[in-house]
Amino acid sequence: MKIVLFLISFLVAIPLLSLPQYQLLTGNRCGNCHVNHQGGGQRNELGYYSMADVSILKPDFIMKNLPESNSPFSNTMIGLDLRAQMARGVADDAERRVFPMQFAAYASHQATDWLTLEGTFSFYNKERRYPGQQMFFGSALIQPNLSFPQLRVGYFQPSIGVRFDDHTNFARLVPNNRVFNTPIIAPNYAELGAEMTYDVVNYKAKGFVTLTGGAFSTRSLNDVTMFSENGQLLPIVKNDDISYIGRIQFSENHLITDITNSTLGASYFTNAGVTMTNVFGGVGVSDAFSLMAEYSMKEANSFFSIQSTSISAMYQATEGVFFELRAEESSGTIQQGSEKVTNTNKQLVLGSQLFILPGIVLRPEYRILDTEQSPRLLEQYTSSRFFVQLYAFF
Amino acid sequence: MSISKFFALAIIGLFVVTSSSFAGGKNFSLNNNVGKNQIKFDSEAPVETINGVVNTVNGNFTMDMSNFEATTGTITLNIADMKTGVEKRDEHMRGADWLNADKNPQIKYQITKLTGLKTSSENGKFTTKGTVEGNFMLNGVSKYLKGTVNINYIQENAETKKRASGDIVNIQAKIDVPLADFGIKGKSGVLGNKVANVVKISAVLFANSN
């Protein structure tokens, strides 16, 4: 049977998160521009106004009418991410389609000096929902002041590795011929849990060592099913287990040199079923260039054992014009029915982000994807495709 | 001419000559040929340190090596020349919520006097340390601010002539600028958090006498 299962059009309801590259291009850590420490979701006021007027074109009537902030009410901020994509599946006869991809609305409220509440509604099509993906999530952020640890409690995603804005990043996927459709950590994956984050080192507010630790339920991860050794599709983790996350990250802004920013870190996520170890790092020259890498090891009892490497470079040509090159490889053994196979996927992404108007981004992309399986039980493919996303944010 | 008129003119003439010799000091202008003029500004907030620099500084002042206390003059920089290393941040810094460069494109420090000086001299080089006082003008607001100052004054000699004509002066000064005092509120939640309430300015200036 011809493999047509992989269709790019299946990609729906993908969250646009923070760009970790921006940390390296600006020297701002994720939490400087987002309400939560790990980045993504609701932008804070600095995050809003840092990007609100970034644009190649600056028509007067738009620039003069840009909202001054994302805070329409006292101590309350809102945000919005909308995306549509034009894409074509990998099948030879696949047609190019345009479809909505994301509708996410955010709100946060600073109830007191030490308590902020934040929530997200991210619509998805139930028929195309990724296992583990959630529509509603939110948390309470508790921090008496900036010198104290931050406690985050609620329904949200553990701080695993680098939270890229691109759900096709291999670090969170299972390599197979439906690669983008088989996430271990789905976009908008969320669990009930708590996380504590603390800057154990704050060297002149230019160099930080940040520790994160937390515990989460596994009810959402229980949605992810894979073939077990006996050929049955089973959840990779029980739903009454507890996941633990530990993370350490060093980040600096113009500390080592006057123009560079860098980061280095690792996270370890584990429960009775799944273990993920991520090591990541990057260096950037302010306003010019960033280079990031992430290595990920994922294991789940008899289900899979996978390693992946991702390297991405971003070049900022001028205000609102970014070019990106990303190379990735993921390989490992997984159960395919009752057989154990070795899958290897490779991906090369050449793309750009063009802020054509304030809050409007055009993201053309060219992807080359290659899948391989040994022994080859399923048809594999090599594809090269052109995609375009239109993204609007507030 | 009567004798009385002659003496009167002689006394006036003598007064004019002595006044110009001892009371006026010399006029100096900042000059990059003497040394690189640079002003640094540092914001150390809890979550972010911003180190900025200005490499284009203009200024004129009058200084008398026998009376440093009477130094007066003005140092001027264009906000457009202030760089923090991140372009977008520079753009925000120039915005209406911060330094408001469109309305007040320059920052000036009008030196009115030096006080508490301790001066020493050796082989034509004078060194003095103390306090600089004057009017700091930012965002259309003028406030009287004091800072520390360290001055090296070298009389013209064969070595100084290789750099510039006249006497040469090196000034190192530090001044703390409380932004709120100049009506700068910034974006909500940013001042005191990501931008320091008080920005520390340090200047290294070089000038020669005209």
Side-chain angles (χ1 to χ4, degrees), chain A residues 25-26 28-29 31-32 44-46 49-50 53-54 68 146 202 204-206 208 253-254 286-287 319, chain B residues 44-51 84-92 97-98 187-190 192-194:
Chain A
L25 288 169
T26 69
N28 277 294
R29 297 186 297 161
N32 280 10
N44 62 24
E45 288 186 316
L46 180 70
Y49 92 81
S50 292
D53 59 348
V54 173
E68 287 193 358
L146 291 167
N202 178 343
K204 296 183 176 179
K206 298 184 79 167
F208 299 86
N253 163 225
H254 294 187
S286 292
D287 292 327
E319 179 184 318
Chain B
E44 294 182 7
V47 298
E48 188 177 3
T49 291
I50 300 169
N51 300 124
T84 68
V86 179
E87 286 181 16
K88 199 68 195 171
R89 187 164 61 192
D90 295 346
E91 190 182 314
H92 291 153
D97 293 306
W98 297 97
K187 288 286 183 182
S188 173
V190 177
N193 185 356
K194 299 176 177 73

Side-chain angles (χ1 to χ4, degrees), chain A residues 136-150:
Chain A
F136 294 95
F137 38 96
S139 62
L141 303 158
I142 301 161
Q143 191 172 29
N145 66 53
L146 291 167
S147 63
F148 276 68
Q150 183 188 78

Side-chain angles (χ1 to χ4, degrees), chain A residues 36-193:
Chain A
N36 75 74
H37 213 285
Q38 65 176 255
Q42 175 72 63
R43 286 167 279 269
N44 62 24
E45 288 186 316
L46 180 70
Y48 168 74
Y49 92 81
S50 292
M51 299 306 290
D53 59 348
V54 173
S55 179
I56 299 168
L57 305 173
K58 293 181 182 288
D60 276 352
F61 71 96
I62 292 179
M63 303 308 290
K64 288 178 179 173
N65 291 295
L66 284 176
E68 287 193 358
S69 82
N70 59 346
S71 181
F73 314 109
S74 178
N75 296 326
T76 300
M77 289 178 284
I78 58 172
L80 198 64
D81 283 324
L82 305 172
R83 270 205 288 186
Q85 177 161 273
M86 181 178 71
R88 183 179 161 226
V90 295
D92 291 341
D93 57 352
E95 293 183 0
R96 187 163 292 280
R97 295 176 52 211
V98 178
F99 52 91
M101 205 176 167
Q102 178 187 26
F103 177 90
Y106 317 105
S108 69
H109 178 68
Q110 186 173 357
T112 70
D113 286 345
W114 52 270
L115 174 65
T116 300
L117 305 170
E118 62 87 24
T120 297
F121 166 71
S122 185
F123 177 78
Y124 59 69
N125 182 331
K126 287 183 178 176
E127 294 177 2
R128 295 175 178 176
R129 168 182 175 268
Y130 291 105
Q133 184 175 359
Q134 304 302 311
M135 192 177 290
F136 294 95
F137 38 96
S139 62
L141 303 158
I142 301 161
Q143 191 172 29
N145 66 53
L146 291 167
S147 63
F148 276 68
Q150 183 188 78
L151 176 64
R152 189 180 185 193
V153 181
Y155 194 63
F156 61 101
Q157 187 168 132
S159 299
I160 301 169
V162 178
R163 197 167 175 184
F164 274 97
D165 74 319
D166 188 339
H167 71 292
T168 69
N169 192 291
F170 280 1
R172 298 175 173 217
L173 303 176
V174 173
N176 60 23
N177 55 2
R178 302 176 67 243
V179 56
F180 298 157
N181 280 337
T182 318
I184 301 168
I185 302 299
N188 288 344
Y189 163 67
E191 296 277 14
L192 194 63

Side-chain angles (χ1 to χ4, degrees), chain B residues 108-177:
Chain B
K108 294 183 180 180
Y109 187 54
Q110 195 175 55
I111 303 165
T112 55
K113 61 181 175 183
L114 307 183
T115 57
L117 297 178
K118 293 182 179 178
T119 305
S120 61
S121 64
E122 185 179 2
N123 298 328
K125 177 183 176 182
F126 294 79
T127 300
T128 189
K129 293 180 182 179
T131 300
V132 58
E133 300 184 23
N135 297 306
F136 196 94
M137 288 169 272
L138 167 64
N139 193 28
V141 178
S142 178
K143 291 280 179 182
Y144 198 72
L145 291 185
K146 297 178 182 180
T148 62
V149 67
N150 186 348
I151 297 172
N152 295 305
Y153 188 114
I154 306 174
Q155 290 179 293
E156 185 175 25
N157 59 44
E159 284 300 310
T160 62
K161 284 180 180 175
K162 293 177 183 175
R163 294 190 182 186
S165 62
D167 299 347
I168 66 173
V169 170
N170 164 229
I171 302 172
Q172 298 163 51
K174 293 183 178 179
I175 298 176
D176 291 347
V177 180

